[in-house]
Amino acid sequence: HACATLRATTRAGRPMTGIAPRTSASPRSRMARHLAWAALWLLLGVASLEFLLAAYGKYRHLDSAAYSMFMTRRGWLWMHLAGGLTTVLLGPVQFFTQWRHRYPRPHRLVGRLYLSGLLVAATGAVGLIASSPAPFAIRLAFSATALAWLTTALTGLVAIRRGAVERHRRWMVRHYAVTLAPILFRLSLPLAIAGGLAPSPALIATLLWCSWVVPLLACETVRRLAGLWRATRVPLPGAVPLAGAR
């Protein structure tokens, strides 16, 4: 029995399971990954700040021309803007891994505030869509965006309520990709017009669909590629399963 126990133990005193342990990335690859994430968050931060200043700033005054088509529906608009501001600001906080692991209770509190803001924004969006004079294609695209926003968030909520932490994390990443749809739409429309495309209802509807479908596909692609990369990493020296271990 003592020999079997000794065989199932590494020199560091950690048990072996018969399966090679997870390999560790090299310092260079870890640094590249950290820099890539930092660059991504910086880009998202700058784009979000520009969006908030431009999209929210034009509604500061009631006599603003931006209210021309929203004056009779400004209640729905204010609900949507207030809830959307909450999600854009609180969303990135939930992805701070160390903070999430070290302070789980604040993480859950911020999550509840986030979902509350989401419901307020979604309610405003439903009111705006229902009362919108826009063509059907545009209203359909907005409705699909709102439905994807709600569905991904509620799926993540159900997952964490059932204790499926990893599934919850995956769905909240997908959800935040949909949260960024207005920012991506606002960036893509001027680019499309600058490229010579007329701002027709068909173009606007297409860009609305692409503003959340493309980020979702990108998230899934990155996640699957990362899984393949982790599965093919070279094991650390000495990380060899023992013959008698289980």
Side-chain angles (χ1 to χ4, degrees):
H1 177 74
C3 291
T5 303
L6 193 60
R7 284 197 304 269
T9 307
T10 65
R11 292 181 180 179
R14 289 176 291 188
M16 295 292 290
T17 61
I19 302 175
R22 292 183 64 180
T23 55
S24 176
S26 66
R28 180 176 297 179
S29 63
R30 285 198 301 269
M31 177 63 70
R33 186 169 68 250
H34 292 162
L35 290 176
W37 278 113
L40 176 61
W41 280 113
L42 179 61
L43 178 62
L44 290 177
V46 172
S48 299
L49 180 61
E50 192 278 336
F51 171 78
L52 292 176
L53 292 176
Y56 284 73
K58 63 184 180 181
Y59 296 111
R60 289 179 300 173
H61 306 290
L62 284 176
D63 58 350
S64 171
Y67 279 108
S68 58
M69 62 180 299
F70 294 111
M71 185 54 69
T72 59
R73 304 180 293 150
R74 59 185 180 275
W76 296 120
L77 175 65
W78 290 341
M79 286 183 65
H80 184 62
L81 292 176
L85 179 64
T86 304
T87 59
V88 171
L89 293 180
L90 294 183
V93 177
Q94 296 296 77
F95 291 99
F96 294 158
T97 306
Q98 293 183 354
W99 181 84
R100 184 176 66 232
H101 290 165
R102 188 173 301 175
Y103 305 105
R105 292 185 64 183
H107 173 75
R108 289 192 292 268
L109 176 60
V110 173
R112 294 187 183 101
L113 293 175
Y114 180 94
L115 287 175
S116 299
L118 166 67
L119 293 176
V120 171
T123 302
V126 170
L128 288 172
I129 294 169
S131 59
S132 174
F136 175 75
I138 294 179
R139 286 185 283 122
L140 178 62
F142 272 121
S143 300
T145 305
L147 183 61
W149 200 35
L150 277 173
T151 301
T152 50
L154 294 179
T155 305
L157 176 62
V158 170
I160 198 61
R161 296 288 294 179
R162 294 179 177 177
V165 177
E166 188 59 33
R167 189 165 184 261
H168 165 74
R169 292 173 60 185
R170 289 199 303 268
W171 276 103
M172 293 315 293
V173 169
R174 293 165 181 153
H175 167 75
Y176 198 68
V178 181
T179 301
L180 298 175
I183 299 174
L184 297 178
F185 172 75
R186 188 177 179 280
L187 293 174
S188 61
L189 182 58
L191 292 176
I193 295 175
L197 298 177
S200 62
L203 173 65
I204 294 174
T206 301
L207 292 179
L208 285 170
W209 281 97
C210 291
S211 65
W212 64 271
V213 172
V214 172
L216 276 183
L217 293 176
C219 282
E220 289 303 299
T221 301
V222 170
R223 185 177 70 84
R224 293 178 183 274
L225 290 176
L228 291 174
W229 177 75
R230 285 193 297 266
T232 56
R233 281 188 296 177
V234 179
L236 289 173
V240 180
L242 297 177
R246 293 185 178 182

